[in-house]
Amino acid sequence: GNAQEGPLWLHVDGATATAVGVLWNHGFDDDEAKVAGLARVLATCRLTRGRDAVPELLASGLHVGSDYALAFGVVPAGDVTRATRFLTALLEEEPASVSLSDDVIALAVARAALAADDAEFVYPGSVLLRRGRERLGRGTAVARPPAGSARAIARLTPDAVRQALREPVAVRIAGL
């Protein structure tokens, strides 16, 4: 369900783990050109908050697409307390974003810039996708590299990231 309705929980008999996730309606194509790739930085910062709140997660990760960012965590089956704590940390706004140190944000920025650079120049599939997007989407957001611009990401300051974390974004929450 959406954030206003509360999370949607699906129980699977015999499951040994509970997975929870948050899907933000903000992906690479939603970023302005001057901050292309910000979506990955924000998702990484949010996931860092979740991992810090629940260091005993069985697994966690994120995926950022053209129009969404997804962060997930896995806890032992039925551990609603840890799952809720993880979700709460992912969704926190101020003052939680202040609790992310400049170093933590700088690391998120650096990792996102490296991932964008690799997607633009190293991985053959992403390189071909970038070239196709440049030609077919000339003059639009589609023409930008598929994982953002390493240069644009590298210019992000901790204060700019904190400000972006405060911006409201539609979300969906699910647990399994």
Side-chain angles (χ1 to χ4, degrees), residues 10-72:
L10 303 172
H11 177 73
V12 177
D13 290 332
T16 59
T18 298
V20 293
V22 175
L23 181 78
W24 287 270
N25 187 24
H26 178 190
F28 292 120
D29 289 351
D30 299 312
D31 293 334
E32 294 179 28
K34 66 181 179 181
V35 293
L38 174 64
R40 182 183 301 272
V41 175
L42 299 180
T44 301
C45 288
R46 290 173 174 135
L47 181 59
T48 298
R49 286 194 317 232
R51 287 174 173 163
D52 287 350
V54 187
E56 60 276 2
L57 290 169
L58 300 176
S60 63
L62 64 85
H63 185 74
V64 181
S66 59
D67 62 352
Y68 68 91
L70 169 69
F72 69 88

Side-chain angles (χ1 to χ4, degrees), residues 6 18 21 57 62 90 102 109-111 117 120 126 128 138 140:
T18 298
L57 290 169
L62 64 85
L90 288 179
D102 285 359
V109 166
R111 286 182 174 153
D117 187 69
E120 193 171 357
S126 296
L128 290 173
R138 196 172 312 274
T140 70

Side-chain angles (χ1 to χ4, degrees), residues 27-164:
F28 292 120
D29 289 351
D30 299 312
D31 293 334
E32 294 179 28
K34 66 181 179 181
V35 293
L38 174 64
R40 182 183 301 272
V41 175
L42 299 180
T44 301
C45 288
R46 290 173 174 135
L47 181 59
T48 298
R49 286 194 317 232
R51 287 174 173 163
D52 287 350
V54 187
E56 60 276 2
L57 290 169
L58 300 176
S60 63
L62 64 85
H63 185 74
V64 181
S66 59
D67 62 352
Y68 68 91
L70 169 69
F72 69 88
V74 180
V75 298
D79 192 341
V80 176
T81 302
R82 286 184 185 144
T84 302
R85 208 166 66 223
F86 178 73
L87 289 173
T88 300
L90 288 179
L91 295 168
E92 279 181 337
E93 295 175 10
E94 283 297 331
S97 59
V98 172
S99 69
L100 293 170
S101 72
D102 285 359
D103 288 345
V104 167
I105 294 172
L107 186 57
V109 166
R111 286 182 174 153
L114 179 60
D117 187 69
D118 286 350
E120 193 171 357
F121 299 109
V122 176
Y123 300 120
S126 296
V127 171
L128 290 173
L129 178 60
R130 174 186 58 86
R131 289 179 182 164
R133 287 173 59 115
E134 282 176 349
R135 289 189 176 101
L136 296 173
R138 196 172 312 274
T140 70
V142 173
R144 294 195 306 249
S149 161
R151 285 185 179 190
I153 295 168
R155 285 190 218 115
L156 292 171
T157 65
D159 287 339
V161 172
R162 286 187 188 100
Q163 179 61 39

